[in-house]
Amino acid sequence: QVQLVESGGGLVQAGGSLRLSCAASGRTFSSMGWFRQAPGKEREFVGIISVGSITWSGKSTYYADSVKGRFTISTDNAKNTVYLQMNSLKPEDTAVYYCAARKSGDYALTFDPSMYDYWGQGTQVTVSS
């Protein structure tokens, strides 16, 4: 059974750091992404990383402009866990953060949440001032 389990959310002061984890199991994936959703807002793309050797125009990661330079996506050596390292956090980063994955074989780069096949339950990140 495919399962994505997020962890690492919590309360942090502005300027601080937090690392989210997403443990994946059940099958292989072409890519894994992070999204976030604040109350009353649409789900927003945060970042994506390819799984395995595929790249998009020579790159294996992409980030939303709002987090570029502050957030970093990485995977462990076994490619079964994806991390979101969040630095220089701002109050506007407050949201529920979701891990998502695309099926193996679906290689196109996409920031559209409707194109992702599997989702975790989300983890709350709250940034206070």
Side-chain angles (χ1 to χ4, degrees):
Q1 184 177 47
V2 174
Q3 187 175 29
L4 304 178
V5 181
E6 300 108 326
S7 62
L11 175 65
V12 64
Q13 293 184 343
S17 298
L18 208 60
R19 190 183 75 164
L20 306 183
S21 299
C22 176
S25 62
R27 66 171 296 159
T28 58
F29 308 103
S30 64
S31 61
M32 300 186 69
W34 287 95
F35 294 79
R36 65 187 184 186
Q37 188 167 21
K41 296 183 178 180
E42 295 293 317
R43 190 162 296 188
E44 176 188 24
F45 169 78
V46 175
I48 186 172
I49 188 168
S50 66
V51 178
S53 61
I54 65 165
T55 60
W56 305 289
S57 298
K59 298 180 65 176
S60 60
T61 58
Y62 280 85
Y63 301 93
D65 289 341
S66 59
V67 306
K68 195 174 300 179
R70 299 189 297 121
F71 291 10
T72 303
I73 295 177
S74 63
T75 59
D76 69 2
N77 292 332
K79 306 294 184 180
N80 60 358
T81 301
V82 62
Y83 304 95
L84 181 66
Q85 178 66 46
M86 304 183 293
N87 298 325
S88 301
L89 283 162
K90 305 174 181 179
E92 51 263 44
D93 294 319
T94 295
V96 177
Y97 282 71
Y98 296 92
C99 177
R102 301 193 75 204
K103 296 177 181 177
S104 179
D106 296 334
Y107 298 115
L109 176 65
T110 180
F111 311 138
D112 182 355
S114 69
M115 299 300 293
Y116 287 76
D117 302 294
Y118 307 103
W119 292 85
Q121 73 276 30
T123 184
Q124 177 71 47
V125 172
T126 302
V127 184
S128 66
S129 60

